[in-house]
Amino acid sequence: MKVVVLKKFLYLCRREMRFIVSNMKKTVWALLCVLLVFVVATIGASFYMLDYSLAPDKNRADTDSCYRQLFGNYPETVGWVDSLQRIDALRDTFVTMPEGYRCHAYYVNTGSRRTALVIHGWRDQAIKFFYLARMYEREFGYNVVMPDLYASGQSDGEALRMGWLDRLDMLRWLEVFQTDSMVVHGVSMGGATTMMMSAHPMPDGIKDIRFVDDCGYTSVWDEFAGEMRNRFSLPEFPLMYSTNVICKLRYGWAFDEASAIRQVARCHYPMLFIHGDRDKFVPTSMVYRLYEAKPAPKELWIAPETAHARSYKNHRAEYTKRVGAFITHPFQGRP
């Protein structure tokens, strides 16, 4: 009797174990399927985010549209551009970078020994920022170089680089057009580019150089993470991390290395920071961190009642006055 009971017990135990093992296998497979779906979805979303962030403007070579936007926002530039074109003073210039791609810039030569390098923003091109070129040429008597960044305007390239690798191209433009005194003035992504290049040694032929950052971001990581929260209500993990890796593999640079705040901490050239007090695209809080990180000499102007990249548009006279005072102030231009 005891043997029969024992056999029955063992049989029930084996059956129960088979049931448990079968359920465990199903659970493991279910978890693996969920994990696989999560990984595939994350990779797909990462490629989407990368393309969304770095894809060039599809109409980037449409100069007529850019001129219409420029003239609509800044009517005072109509006569200025017309006068330059009549005397053939607005020149197209192409430079082949060491990596082999060609970059384009517009150049206005006044015969001065002072030159401004004006850098445009995200998914823009140089023409839309001719209002700043006009300020430097008309108000301050500077030559002006206005590059199209990589993958912008008439420059080569398949994806934007958010200022990080662009900083090296801008150093090349400084070499090509160097004069005794130079100013590098960038807006938004151009402002970040300005800051990112400021830590590098400048060409020896430049005796005095100054930098103007208008609403640039602290880092590409900070900017993209903020946009993910604000536009898509998504946390940094895991999408920022996976997209960061894909960007490094695909384009040779990563969000976490593209840091303007680390670069300005190593910059000893004079820098003027400009930011609107109502900027939500590049939050105004970023400029205070940048200003704090930057060693002297430095200046800061917060434009009142101003959103992103609208400081000049909203405060033309004050903007011109502050930039003029900054570029003529007797700083020690080279450390």
Side-chain angles (χ1 to χ4, degrees), residues 16-298:
E16 188 66 24
M17 285 299 297
R18 285 196 296 268
F19 176 78
I20 292 171
V21 170
S22 175
N23 281 348
M24 286 181 63
K25 287 181 178 179
K26 291 178 181 178
T27 302
V28 169
W29 277 110
L31 290 173
L32 287 174
C33 288
V34 170
L35 180 61
L36 180 62
V37 170
F38 176 78
V39 170
V40 170
T42 299
I43 292 173
S46 299
F47 276 102
Y48 172 82
M49 178 183 171
L50 194 64
D51 290 339
Y52 174 84
S53 304
L54 304 185
D57 180 2
K58 61 182 179 180
N59 298 316
R60 69 196 231 193
D62 185 355
T63 56
D64 290 340
S65 173
C66 291
Y67 273 119
R68 285 194 297 271
Q69 290 183 55
L70 172 72
F71 296 156
N73 288 323
Y74 306 96
E76 67 273 19
T77 61
V78 176
W80 179 73
V81 170
D82 183 60
S83 66
L84 291 177
Q85 291 176 337
R86 277 201 314 269
I87 62 174
D88 196 28
L90 184 60
R91 301 292 183 89
D92 288 287
T93 303
F94 288 88
V95 168
T96 300
M97 298 299 170
E99 293 79 4
Y101 54 84
R102 288 204 322 162
C103 285
H104 168 263
Y106 298 94
Y107 178 54
V108 178
N109 184 2
T110 66
S112 174
R113 297 303 303 164
R114 299 175 296 175
T115 301
L117 183 72
V118 175
I119 310 175
H120 67 76
W122 183 72
R123 281 189 182 157
D124 276 321
Q125 62 139 284
I127 289 173
K128 295 181 185 178
F129 291 77
F130 277 10
Y131 64 90
L132 289 177
R134 177 184 178 275
M135 178 187 74
Y136 276 101
E137 192 270 338
R138 291 287 293 271
E139 302 295 334
F140 310 135
Y142 275 57
N143 310 318
V144 191
V145 182
M146 298 153 283
D148 286 325
L149 294 177
Y150 186 82
S152 303
Q154 299 182 53
S155 293
D156 292 344
E158 61 176 1
L160 303 178
R161 305 188 298 184
M162 302 305 295
W164 183 237
L165 299 183
D166 300 304
R167 79 195 194 282
L168 305 177
D169 293 345
M170 297 305 103
L171 289 168
R172 177 62 180 145
W173 285 115
L174 287 183
E175 291 176 358
V176 171
F177 289 99
Q178 64 182 287
T179 50
D180 293 343
S181 297
M182 300 196 77
V183 176
V184 182
H185 188 140
V187 180
S188 191
M189 188 177 81
T193 307
T194 297
M195 292 184 284
M196 289 171 180
M197 69 183 288
S198 69
H200 290 267
M202 298 296 122
D204 291 336
I206 303 173
K207 298 176 182 177
D208 183 278
I209 187 163
R210 300 162 190 226
F211 296 87
V212 180
D213 157 48
D214 185 339
C215 64
Y217 37 80
T218 50
S219 70
V220 174
W221 184 283
D222 291 345
E223 181 60 18
F224 284 176
E227 283 297 286
M228 281 182 58
R229 288 192 300 271
N230 296 334
R231 289 180 180 267
F232 305 108
S233 300
L234 291 172
E236 291 183 19
F237 184 84
L239 201 53
M240 277 294 297
Y241 293 84
S242 55
T243 308
N244 189 48
V245 171
I246 292 172
C247 185
K248 182 69 173 180
L249 294 173
R250 190 174 181 183
Y251 298 124
W253 66 277
F255 303 160
D256 54 355
E257 67 182 335
S259 173
I261 197 166
R262 282 202 298 264
Q263 293 292 94
V264 296
R266 299 164 48 214
C267 171
H268 296 278
Y269 300 106
M271 185 172 292
L272 169 63
F273 297 90
I274 298 172
H275 218 104
D277 66 347
R278 296 184 181 179
D279 194 337
K280 295 181 179 179
F281 188 65
V282 177
T284 308
S285 59
M286 286 190 177
V287 76
Y288 294 108
R289 293 170 56 200
L290 289 162
Y291 182 77
E292 181 66 25
K294 168 74 173 70
K298 57 186 177 180

